[in-house]
Amino acid sequence: MLPINLLVVEDHSIIRAGICALLKNIASVTIIGEASDGYEALELVDSLKPDVVFMDISLPKLNGLEATSRITQEYPFVRVIILSMHASEDYVLQALRAGASGYLSKDADTDELESALIAVTQGKTYLSPGISKHLANYVRGIDEYSSPLDRLTTRQREVLQLLAEGCTTKQIAGILNRSVKTIETHRTQLLKKIDVHDIAGLVRFAIRMGVVTADQ
Amino acid sequence: MLPINLLVVEDHSIIRAGICALLKNIASVTIIGEASDGYEALELVDSLKPDVVFMDISLPKLNGLEATSRITQEYPFVRVIILSMHASEDYVLQALRAGASGYLSKDADTDELESALIAVTQGKTYLSPGISKHLANYVRGIDEYSSPLDRLTTRQREVLQLLAEGCTTKQIAGILNRSVKTIETHRTQLLKKIDVHDIAGLVRFAIRMGVVTADQ
DNA sequence: AACATTTTCAGGATTGCCCCGATTGCCCAT
DNA sequence: ATGGGCAATCGGGGCAATCCTGAAAATGTT
């Protein structure tokens, strides 16, 4: 079985080199290949048959989630660990559904690399501490396409946009012809569901989702 | 003179560890400190007096450009090399104006770390190949000196970032060790100066200016 | 019909924000 | 060198918004 053969997929060369340097410090692993986009990753998985793939999400041409999905479909014996380096942590569920065996958040500790590696080679799933909360929020919705927006109700999406555009609760109540108390409830449920705790976080979420734009 | 003492500033621990691993491969350098946000960077520069600082742009609490500006003002002998890891490459001019001695693009090659290091210790300026084009685009546009951010005072830019990150007035007062009333004044002046009337508008402004990003 | 979800609303407590005002220190220009 | 502008620092008081707890219609689903 040993050594464990690795493929590292990450488009920014310095970061990729850094990750490789960290992985090389772990005993009994060999880095047999590096890729800088999704298609390159598919080719190298096919030709090299690595045991584990460390995969970034944001990749040019073919993103990491899509690449992961194809890899795990075609080569079920290949384990994929997602490195959520640049992207947000809202992709955990999508990653797991794409067949990933591990998910390291952007703020993961260094030794989590080895922890995740050990876990997935034993057939287990490794998730960074702190993202189980995200996961819990997600599984409560029986999401299908699971854009985070799909987990919101119609009213909540309405309120989301208006809040992101700078409306106060009172103004929204006027626009929607509802009581201020009603909008307050929607607001509270909304913040809870998208797991942010202030309007600033809500606006950033809305921009990520394309509900509003930063330019005007 | 040798060895060269380094400070590495980057908020994502895995990436930071990776960069440190790469730098340690270079002979005659010592990493004497690591920081994960702008304020931590300022403190460590003050206490450790490093020769060179490797600085990411997007940092919590106080971003890399702002931190660079203060470092080069207070400690002219400290060289700062910007690592444009997550941010776009549009910040070259801002970085140079902030006093940076080097600028490594997100797609820089690994050995550019050493190239940049050698250059800046010799008093030269190192720019990643390919960004001179960006620079050329900027110098031909004369409007670059009138960024709306330049109209803000130092304190106002600080408060802007913290508000955009979701801090309340009270929390900011705690972070900056000032009275709540003081921050309230800064907040009011800030909103008035950038002509927005709510936090949502402020967040969108901050994202346009690159002070914060929508993804987290 | 039974159940879950969504949408609706309120009272009371808490907190934050806004409008007034003020002082200090700094730069700089007449 | 002195007065004016600007930056940064605070406070009181009032109003508005938010949070917490609870709950009842309306809607949809099986």
Side-chain angles (χ1 to χ4, degrees), chain A residues 13 88 106 108 164 198 204 208 214, chain B residues 12-13 108 164 166 204 208 214 216:
Chain A
S13 54
S88 89
K106 54 198 304 184
D198 44 65
R204 294 196 302 267
R208 288 201 302 275
Chain B
H12 305 321
S13 54
R204 294 197 301 269
R208 288 202 301 276
Q216 57 180 358

Side-chain angles (χ1 to χ4, degrees), chain B residues 27 29 33 64 69 71 80 87 92 131 149 151 165 185 190 198 203 214:
Chain B
V29 307
S69 181
I71 290 173
V80 179
V92 197
I131 61 175
L149 281 184
R151 302 179 46 79
E165 287 178 353
T185 304
L190 174 59
D198 45 65
V203 172

Side-chain angles (χ1 to χ4, degrees), chain B residues 83-107:
Chain B
L83 298 173
S84 171
M85 296 282 85
H86 318 85
S88 87
E89 298 180 4
D90 296 337
Y91 297 99
V92 197
L93 236 223
Q94 291 180 52
L96 294 179
R97 217 181 317 135
S101 301
Y103 194 98
L104 294 182
S105 85
K106 57 201 302 184
D107 298 313

Side-chain angles (χ1 to χ4, degrees), chain A residues 92-93 127 130-141 151:
Chain A
V92 198
L93 235 225
L127 300 180
I131 63 175
S132 30
K133 184 187 55 185
H134 283 263
L135 204 55
N137 283 338
Y138 281 121
V139 293
R140 102 174 40 176
R151 302 184 310 99

